[in-house]
Amino acid sequence: MNNNCRLEAIERAICEHLNELKKSDIDSNLYSAVEYALQGGGKRVRPMLMLLSAEMFNLDTDIIMPYAIALECIHTYSLIHDDLPAMDDDDIRRGRLTVHKVYGEAMAILAGDKLENMAYEILFSVIKNKGEIRAAGYLAECAGKMVNGQAREMSLIDADCNTISIDDILNIYNDKTTALIRCAIMVPYYVSSAKVNAKQEGNLLKVAHNIGTIFQLVDDMLDTESGVDDGKLTYVNNFGLQKTQQFVALLEDEINTTLSKLDLNTEDLMQYASELTARRI
Ligand code: GRG
């Protein structure tokens, strides 16, 4: 399967879930807000990573797709809530009005809540065996970490820049952004746990962690370049562009060293990860 096919499969599955939701007894405004958010032109990075990881473990797309959609639902809810006036207070996301600007703040909160619930409904509808329960539990744990990362960031917002350490920022990234990226790569491992060597877990986790950290660092660099970071607490703002680029290179080196220890065909996953590093949006 190539990336276009993977993306088409993800979009098809999202459409199917939206069709089911529309047929249910859902308030029409709530449905519209959820649809607006889910069909908003996101890159689908997390479901893509999950499909690519699943292929390394020879899992069928049909088996992993519900987890991939559940993860995208969690990601989408986090963006809706992140844009709210009480959080980042953003009017524009992906080049169009944010959910609360179109549907109002209350409906945006509810749309986020609905997406979060949808994620768990999807998971509960598929989990059967031990590995799948572990995978769903891991997804819930990562979604909780994301919320924790946001809270950590908020508590440092008014801190003096000079008192903020690299560890403070990396701890925020580790939870806020990296947790869902890690989740995308680790969930297929847990789903297929009966078939794989458990020793691979630590190495896979390291690769997943580094890909997630690079993803956030690249996001920071793009924000700085386009002038939209308005003095936010980021690695680039605190330590400069050069140090950030050096750190990305170091994380890439670590990925390559760790990959050689994984007895898996990681080629497609790594190709996609390097496209993410080179991305311009
Ligand atoms: C308020 C209970 C409650 C929870 C909210 C807001 C929040 C918790 C977490 C925010 C997490 C967050 C927004 C992290 C930013 C991560 C990031 C780089 C997002 C952008 O991801 P992309 O580029 O987005 O994959 P697209 O648009 O492509 O989907």
Side-chain angles (χ1 to χ4, degrees):
M1 209 193 266
N2 63 33
N3 280 348
N4 283 340
C5 295
R6 291 181 186 106
L7 207 52
E8 276 169 22
I10 292 163
E11 297 299 345
R12 235 184 351 262
I14 288 176
C15 277
E16 281 164 17
H17 281 285
L18 281 171
N19 285 339
E20 283 302 306
L21 187 65
K22 199 173 187 176
K23 281 192 246 152
S24 72
D25 183 25
I26 185 170
D27 175 83
S28 59
N29 272 337
L30 179 59
Y31 174 78
S32 296
V34 167
E35 185 190 38
Y36 182 84
L38 260 184
Q39 304 280 47
K43 295 183 288 298
R44 313 300 195 201
V45 167
R46 293 147 195 84
M48 281 292 286
L49 286 169
M50 200 179 292
L51 259 53
L52 286 157
S53 172
E55 287 170 30
M56 298 192 312
F57 298 105
N58 298 317
L59 282 174
D60 279 355
T61 307
D62 289 351
I63 303 271
I64 209 63
M65 191 62 89
Y67 300 84
I69 303 305
L71 185 56
E72 187 68 2
C73 287
I74 297 279
H75 164 65
T76 308
Y77 116 74
S78 82
L79 298 184
I80 300 176
H81 283 192
D82 193 49
D83 291 334
L84 286 169
M87 300 265 177
D88 270 9
D89 195 10
D90 281 319
D91 293 352
I92 302 290
R93 172 165 297 278
R94 300 160 173 159
R96 56 179 206 160
L97 288 173
T98 46
V99 177
H100 67 273
K101 280 283 149 193
V102 179
Y103 294 94
E105 233 176 288
M107 195 52 79
I109 294 171
L110 293 174
D113 293 343
K114 180 70 192 171
L115 279 158
E116 189 182 17
N117 271 299
M118 265 173 75
Y120 296 113
E121 277 179 43
I122 293 170
L123 293 178
F124 276 120
S125 72
V126 294
I127 53 175
K128 300 174 298 294
N129 63 38
K130 229 172 143 184
E132 291 165 349
I133 292 168
R134 172 79 182 99
Y138 188 73
L139 196 147
E141 190 185 312
C142 291
K145 277 192 187 294
M146 174 189 72
V147 177
N148 193 49
Q150 182 80 353
R152 274 186 206 273
E153 183 178 81
M154 283 167 59
S155 66
L156 280 184
I157 272 173
D158 295 322
D160 172 0
C161 249
N162 300 316
T163 66
I164 294 170
S165 67
I166 289 192
D167 279 351
D168 289 331
I169 294 193
L170 292 182
N171 280 337
I172 292 171
Y173 287 6
N174 186 35
D175 286 354
K176 193 181 100 160
T177 311
T178 307
L180 292 196
I181 304 277
R182 254 192 336 260
C183 175
I185 295 171
M186 295 309 290
V187 156
Y189 170 84
Y190 294 123
V191 170
S192 65
S193 61
K195 295 170 226 158
V196 297
N197 170 4
K199 282 191 191 141
Q200 286 175 326
E201 184 174 0
N203 286 329
L204 190 64
L205 204 49
K206 186 168 184 100
V207 170
H209 175 77
N210 283 12
I211 291 176
T213 309
I214 292 176
F215 184 76
Q216 180 62 64
L217 293 168
V218 169
D219 206 64
D220 292 350
M221 290 195 275
L222 292 174
D223 276 355
T224 301
E225 263 176 43
S226 61
V228 300
D229 71 349
D230 53 31
K232 278 189 198 159
L233 178 69
T234 69
Y235 197 95
V236 184
N237 278 350
N238 278 54
F239 309 111
L241 199 57
Q242 203 186 357
K243 268 202 171 161
T244 310
Q245 281 161 341
Q246 284 166 354
F247 187 39
V248 168
L250 180 89
L251 292 170
E252 281 178 319
D253 279 353
E254 268 182 20
I255 290 177
N256 290 329
T257 317
T258 315
L259 278 181
S260 56
K261 296 180 198 157
L262 281 171
D263 189 18
L264 293 168
N265 182 357
T266 56
E267 203 178 311
D268 286 356
L269 176 73
M270 291 324 298
Q271 173 59 33
Y272 183 67
S274 57
E275 284 167 23
L276 285 181
T277 308
R279 82 198 147 98
R280 305 302 305 152
I281 52 163

